[in-house]
Amino acid sequence: KEVVAVSSGMAVLEGVLDQDAAAVQRAQVYNGLSLAALRLEEALLAGRSAAAELEALRAAASKADGFVDGLLARLPAGCAELCERTSSVPTEPLLRHQLEELLNDLVAAAFVPPNSGLLGGLVGRVFSWFYILDTGTVARQVAPGGSEGEAAQNLAALSQSVRATKPHQGSAEGSTELAEAITVLERSLGGHCQQRAAAWLAEARSALLLQQAVRTAKAKAQCLSTATAAA
């Protein structure tokens, strides 16, 4: 009986140790995810190439969490290209500042008559000096073919995007407004205006997606670590 009791006790102890070992292993995996996200964030803010950090985060996510792993896998190629640059990825405050400056150029572009060359550019710039964007305007789609309709559509989209240029001190509302402004401009701009904005819109979209992915990975790692500690 004593031998049986000792064997039974050893089996229970082994089971407990196995559970503890599994919990420790999970905690290490989740900590690895959190550390990888922090290192990528630091590299992005430091303005150096972050390609290695992005791959490290993807590797950590593949071991830690399917949701984050899938999120990183769906990032567009532009996000990886931003990480390969030697300049810093634009932050949300910088994107708002860039958008504010870009809007002035896009208003001028909206007034440029089709096929008007250099003179049309000068005309558009002069008109832009006297035009004030109406923040209450709603972007709308118009039938193709009319330059006046396209100009009105472009100006409406630009007006709707003005709110996103205002500082929000990193609030969720500010992030949402910036993302919505980018979406409006992507969907609504046409002609010369769209051509002028295309490069910035692509970079801004990639920068926002990358930063949101990093924040999501950090938050998910914290949740997983907390759940493991409470178990």
Side-chain angles (χ1 to χ4, degrees), residues 8-10 37 43 69 105 130 148 169 171 176 183:
S8 178
M10 290 295 295
D69 184 35
D105 290 335
F130 302 98
E148 293 183 0
Q169 298 182 344
S171 68
T176 300
T183 299

Side-chain angles (χ1 to χ4, degrees), residues 50-83:
E53 285 79 1
L54 177 59
E55 289 305 312
L57 178 57
R58 283 173 166 163
S62 67
K63 300 175 183 177
D65 183 69
F67 174 78
V68 177
D69 184 35
L71 177 64
L72 294 173
R74 292 190 297 272
L75 288 177
C79 294
E81 293 171 1
L82 283 179
C83 290

Side-chain angles (χ1 to χ4, degrees), residues 144-163:
S147 59
E148 293 183 0
E150 182 179 271
Q153 174 179 311
N154 288 337
L155 291 171
L158 298 177
S159 294
Q160 192 173 342
S161 304
V162 171
R163 283 173 54 86

Side-chain angles (χ1 to χ4, degrees), residues 42-134:
E42 291 174 356
L44 296 177
L45 293 175
R48 57 183 174 83
S49 174
E53 285 79 1
L54 177 59
E55 289 305 312
L57 178 57
R58 283 173 166 163
S62 67
K63 300 175 183 177
D65 183 69
F67 174 78
V68 177
D69 184 35
L71 177 64
L72 294 173
R74 292 190 297 272
L75 288 177
C79 294
E81 293 171 1
L82 283 179
C83 290
E84 293 171 356
R85 299 191 328 185
T86 55
S87 57
S88 60
V89 175
T91 60
E92 289 181 8
L94 179 57
L95 288 174
R96 282 193 287 271
H97 177 70
Q98 290 176 345
L99 176 59
E100 184 176 17
E101 294 185 339
L102 180 64
L103 288 178
N104 295 326
D105 290 335
L106 294 182
V107 169
F111 282 112
V112 174
N115 306 316
S116 57
L118 180 60
L119 179 60
L122 294 176
V123 170
R125 180 61 61 185
V126 171
F127 273 58
S128 70
W129 293 341
F130 302 98
Y131 187 84
I132 299 176
L133 293 173
D134 181 5

